[in-house]
Every structure is written in structure tokens, then in C-alpha cells.
């Protein structure tokens, strides 16, 4: 059962139990003398709350929090609204985790304990950073070191910036270089693991979902990536799309390591997909061995999407675990699968540090099994969507 389905089932059962208690209590108020009616009503609600409590507290899980960009100026990313977190928000998140008393663990250590059948310390949290953005090195890493927190950074080979110098400043745009990734790997508590080669999407059918134009081509940058094998670290510096011109059709697409591609007249076979996945994951192992001197242990599927064959290939190649799970990392779940939750900014649709802290606290506790926190998360998420829609309708920027 996915955590979404589990959450729905538990909250519905809890509400049904409370409703039953409310009906009994209301009956007491209506049918009995005042004092007796009140006593029955209070007792019925109390009993219902006690019975319903078991639905809201689940076996403990490990919250794995997934960040992407941590930057004061993420505007170079067309999807910054969805994935960028301001350093002030991130700093507040780290202070919140410390105040909660959680145990921040490295992903390799977490996987090792689960594989060995050892108990993971209660309240454990792991921190992930996808895509290998330069701002992770400039902003996230120093804040993590200040708190003594472990973290895992996932980089895609084609997006690793060229260059030998380790940067300490400059515009927070683009991606990390190999020396910067090596510097992270060398720090105690920090780990660097692969995020694939090209973070690619592929056409999956003949269906067309739109036309490339001056306003949307950056949000559909995958078309340029798909058409240009090799380095892509400077794609955002293009002023016009070079490989797939404006006016081109935008095909229906899926994640390259999770779905069979459309090859023009037919769909890719399962064997062809498997071969593609194996090439990608093997290339990552070779590059990490040569450039970082490590054998990668954890593979992060782009956009957290995977297929069952991909999971098997990863294990055959020596990866001990991959992302892509949809549960809560309890002791009963497969040890080779990591389930993660995305962490964003503007929990209420605008940046308010107190709200950012509350939403993070609620999300962690919910992942750890306390479903009462869903009563906080759900209305905050709804408010965020409404405010975002209103701001977009008014043409406001999300900087």
C-alpha cells in the first residue's frame, strides 16, 4: 500500500469512528435528561477518540526529504517554483529538524542497517539533493556542515559542469563540477551518488500535447536534451532552442529509465528498454569509479520514476538500493527501495518561515507514522495551490 492510500484509509477510519461516537453522543443528548445526556455524549466521544487513535498512529518509518535547488536566485530554472528552496527557508528547516530532535542519517548507513536487519534509530531522517546544482555546493553544504547533518547528493553525468576549479562564489546558476562533487564526497557525512546520465524523457506515443514556442521551450527542455547526446550542463544559456526548433510538436513523454520509448513507427520493446537502462546505470558506475574513486551504492531514478525491470538491473549491477518507493521506509518494506518526500518552499503559497517550519515538521512526523499531522499538511497544501493559482492569474513572479 502506498503512503497516500495508507493515509486515506487511516484518516477515513478515524473520521468514521469519531462520527459514530458523535452519533451516540447526540442520541444521548436528545434522549436522556440533561446531566445524563452530557455524560453519555462526553463518554461516547472520548471512547470514539480512544478507539480511533489506533488508526492514526502507524508503525514508524524513516522520513527521507528530497531537495533540489537551494538558491536565493533560482530564476534560471524554468521549474524553480516547484523545486527551488530559498537558503533562508532551508536554514529554518535545519533548525526545525534540530529542535525536533531527529537523528539525521546518511543514506549509505541507512541502507546498510536495513540490509543487515538492524533497527534504524527511531525518528531517523535522511536528506537528499537531486540534480547536482551548483547552489547545493555554495549554499546547502555550508548550512548542513554548520549543523553537522549528513546528506546525499545525486548528480546526472551529462549535466556535470566542465572545469577543474572548485568555485566558492559567483552566480548560483548551473551545475557542479567533478572537483566540487569530489569535495563533497570527501567531507564526513556527505555522499555523492548517481542520478543517471541525461535525466532524460522520451516520446512514448504518437500523441502530440502542444507546440514548442518562445514561452514554453525552456519548460520542455527535455526535447533539446533528448536530441543532443553528450554534455548538457550549459543548456540554460541558450537564447533559442538549437536542436528542436520553435514550431516543433511536443510529443507525449515519459521518463527514459521508466517507460518504453516511441521510435517513430513502433514502441520500444521491453528488451530494448532494459538494454537502455543497463547502459545508463553501467555508465554511472564507470564514471563514479574513475572520477570519484568510489563504487556507487544508491541509484536515484530521475523524477523518482522507475520500472520493475530497472530495479532488477540496478541490483544486478551492484547497486544496493534505489529510490522510487511510495511508502514510508518501515521495517516491513523492501530494503532495496527508498521512499522519499519532496520538500519545497512557500508552504502557504508565499514565503513565511514559521509556516515553512510547521509544514516540514508535519511532513516528517507524518512520514514517521503520526497521521494526526495530516490535519496540518492537507489544509496547508490546499492553501498553497489556491494562492499559487491566484498569483499566476495575477501574473505575479515566483522569485
Amino acid at each position: 500500500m502506498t503512503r497516500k492510500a495508507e493515509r486515506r484509509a487511516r484518516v477515513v477510519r478515524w473520521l468514521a469512528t469519531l462520527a459514530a461516537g458523535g452519533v451516540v453522543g447526540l442520541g444521548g443528548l436528545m434522549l436522556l435528561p440533561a446531566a445524563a445526556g452530557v455524560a453519555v455524549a462526553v463518554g461516547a466521544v472520548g471512547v470514539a477518540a480512544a478507539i480511533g487513535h489506533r488508526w492514526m498512529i502507524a508503525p514508524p518509518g524513516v522520513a527521507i526529504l528530497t531537495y533540489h535547488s537551494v538558491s536565493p536566485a533560482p530564476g534560471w530554472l524554468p521549474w524553480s517554483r516547484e523545486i527551488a528552496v530559498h537558503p533562508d527557508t532551508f536554514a529554518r528547516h535545519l533548525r526545525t529538524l534540530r529542535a525536533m530532535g531527529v537523528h539525521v542519517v546518511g543514506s549509505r548507513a541507512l541502507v546498510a542497517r536495513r540490509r543487515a536487519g538492524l533497527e534504524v534509530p527511531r525518528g531517523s531522517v535522511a536528506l537528499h539533493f537531486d540534480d547536482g546544482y551548483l547552489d547545493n555546493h555554495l549554499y546547502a553544504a555550508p548550512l548542513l556542515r554548520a549543523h553537522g547533518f549528513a546528506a546525499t547528493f545525486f548528480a546526472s553525468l551529462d549535466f556535470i559542469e566542465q572545469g577543474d576549479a572548485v568555485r566558492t562564489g559567483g552566480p548560483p546558476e548551473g551545475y557542479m563540477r567533478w572537483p566540487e562533487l569530489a569535495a563533497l564526497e570527501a567531507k564526513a557525512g556527505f555522499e555523492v551518488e548517481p542520478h543517471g546520465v541525461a535525466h532524460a524523457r522520451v516520446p512514448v506515443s504518437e500523441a502530440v500535447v502542444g507546440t514548442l514556442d518562445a514561452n514554453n521551450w525552456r519548460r520542455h527542455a527535455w526535447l533539446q536534451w533528448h536530441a543532443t547526446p553528450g554534455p548538457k550542463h550549459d543548456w540554460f544559456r541558450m537564447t533559442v532552442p538549437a536542436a528542436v526548433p520553435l514550431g516543433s510538436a511536443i510529443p507525449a513523454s515519459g521518463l527514459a529509465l521508466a517507460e518504453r520509448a516511441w521510435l517513430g513507427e513502433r514502441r520500444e520493446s521491453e528488451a530494448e528498454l532494459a538494454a537502455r537502462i543497463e547502459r545508463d546505470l553501467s555508465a554511472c558506475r564507470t564514471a563514479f569509479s574513475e572520477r570519484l574513486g568510489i563504487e556507487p551504492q544508491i541509484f536515484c531514478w530521475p523524477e523518482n520514476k522507475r520500472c520493475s525491470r530497472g530495479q532488477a538491473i540496478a541490483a544486478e549491477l551492484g547497486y544496493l538500493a534505489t529510490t522510487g518507493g511510495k511508502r514510508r521506509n518501515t521495517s516491513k518494506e523492501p530494503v532495496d527501495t527508498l521512499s522519499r518526500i519532496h520538500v519545497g518552499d512557500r508552504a502557504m503559497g508565499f514565503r513565511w518561515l514559521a509556516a515553512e517550519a510547521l509544514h516540514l515538521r508535519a511532513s516528517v512526523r507524518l512520514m514517521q507514522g503520526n497521521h494526526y499531522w495530516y490535519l496540518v499538511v492537507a489544509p496547508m497544501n490546499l492553501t498553497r495551490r489556491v494562492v499559487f493559482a491566484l498569483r499566476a492569474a495575477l501574473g505575479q513572479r515566483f522569485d
Side-chain angles (χ1 to χ4, degrees):
M1 181 186 294
T2 67
R3 63 175 175 269
K4 183 176 181 180
E6 178 193 22
R7 183 173 65 224
R8 184 186 300 114
R10 288 182 177 277
V11 171
V12 166
R13 288 169 180 167
W14 176 71
L15 290 172
T17 304
L18 291 186
V23 169
V24 173
L26 182 61
L29 288 174
M30 295 175 64
L31 300 175
L32 298 175
V38 170
V40 169
V42 171
V45 171
V47 170
I51 294 173
H53 178 71
R54 68 189 182 114
W55 296 120
M56 298 298 275
I57 303 299
V62 178
I64 301 180
L65 307 179
T66 304
Y67 292 87
H68 292 77
S69 170
V70 179
S71 172
W76 67 278
L77 282 168
W79 37 83
S80 61
R81 191 186 83 173
E82 290 82 18
I83 69 166
V85 171
H86 193 280
D88 291 346
T89 298
F90 184 61
R92 185 61 176 265
H93 284 175
L94 298 186
R95 293 198 299 272
T96 300
L97 292 175
R98 182 166 294 283
M100 292 171 67
V102 302
H103 179 56
V104 180
V105 298
S107 296
R108 293 173 189 162
L110 173 62
V111 170
R113 290 190 70 86
R114 296 181 78 200
R115 285 173 58 87
L118 301 175
E119 182 178 355
V120 177
R122 194 176 184 88
S124 291
V125 170
L127 303 177
H128 286 185
F129 295 81
D130 287 7
D131 299 342
Y133 296 121
L134 172 61
D135 58 54
N136 289 182
H137 167 65
L138 296 177
Y139 296 100
L143 288 168
L144 289 163
R145 286 198 297 270
H147 285 270
F149 285 168
T152 305
F153 301 85
F154 296 95
S156 301
L157 300 187
D158 281 357
F159 292 87
I160 297 174
E161 182 86 39
Q162 297 176 355
D164 297 325
V166 175
R167 291 163 289 183
T168 57
E173 299 179 348
Y175 303 83
M176 283 186 276
R177 298 169 175 170
W178 279 112
E180 291 158 349
L181 293 168
L184 288 178
E185 176 66 33
K187 295 288 185 181
F190 287 174
E191 306 162 348
V192 179
E193 295 284 354
H195 196 30
V197 172
H199 207 292
R201 300 186 71 86
V202 293
V204 294
S205 73
E206 292 180 302
V208 173
V209 299
T211 301
L212 214 59
D213 60 37
N215 295 318
N216 68 17
W217 75 267
R218 289 183 179 275
R219 289 196 66 85
H220 294 284
W222 74 267
L223 284 168
Q224 312 303 319
W225 303 345
H226 180 64
T228 54
K232 302 172 178 62
H233 56 85
D234 58 353
W235 68 270
F236 62 95
R237 297 188 178 101
M238 294 188 298
T239 56
V240 294
V244 181
L246 301 180
S248 300
I250 303 172
S253 65
L255 273 297
L257 300 184
E259 297 188 50
R260 290 183 292 152
W262 180 254
L263 302 178
E265 296 181 350
R266 66 179 181 88
R267 202 168 184 201
E268 191 176 44
S269 70
E270 291 287 351
E272 288 170 318
L273 170 61
R276 233 175 358 92
I277 294 173
E278 184 170 355
R279 286 195 301 272
D280 204 280
L281 272 62
S282 295
C284 289
R285 295 193 69 80
T286 298
F288 271 60
S289 177
E290 293 176 349
R291 301 303 297 261
L292 299 180
I294 63 171
E295 294 296 326
Q297 299 181 27
I298 303 168
F299 189 83
C300 177
W301 301 107
E303 296 187 34
N304 224 37
K305 298 295 195 318
R306 61 173 184 166
C307 62
S308 57
R309 184 69 187 108
Q311 185 82 356
I313 291 171
E316 292 164 5
L317 291 175
Y319 291 97
L320 304 183
T322 76
T323 62
K326 302 296 183 183
R327 300 171 72 180
R328 295 190 297 104
N329 304 305
T330 68
S331 61
K332 302 298 184 182
E333 295 172 26
V335 298
D336 64 348
T337 301
L338 299 177
S339 297
R340 314 189 301 169
I341 53 174
H342 169 71
V343 180
D345 207 340
R346 305 180 188 86
M348 301 287 286
F350 50 88
R351 188 171 294 112
W352 178 22
L353 294 183
E356 315 307 334
L358 177 61
H359 192 273
L360 182 83
R361 180 185 293 268
S363 298
V364 169
R365 293 310 189 202
L366 183 56
M367 190 80 166
Q368 291 174 338
N370 187 335
H371 286 75
Y372 287 111
W373 284 102
Y374 183 63
L375 306 180
V376 174
V377 169
M380 292 184 80
N381 288 346
L382 177 59
T383 301
R384 184 177 192 264
R385 288 195 294 270
V386 171
V387 173
F388 271 12
L390 289 174
R391 292 184 65 178
L394 294 172
Q396 294 185 3
R397 289 177 55 85
F398 291 86
D399 52 10

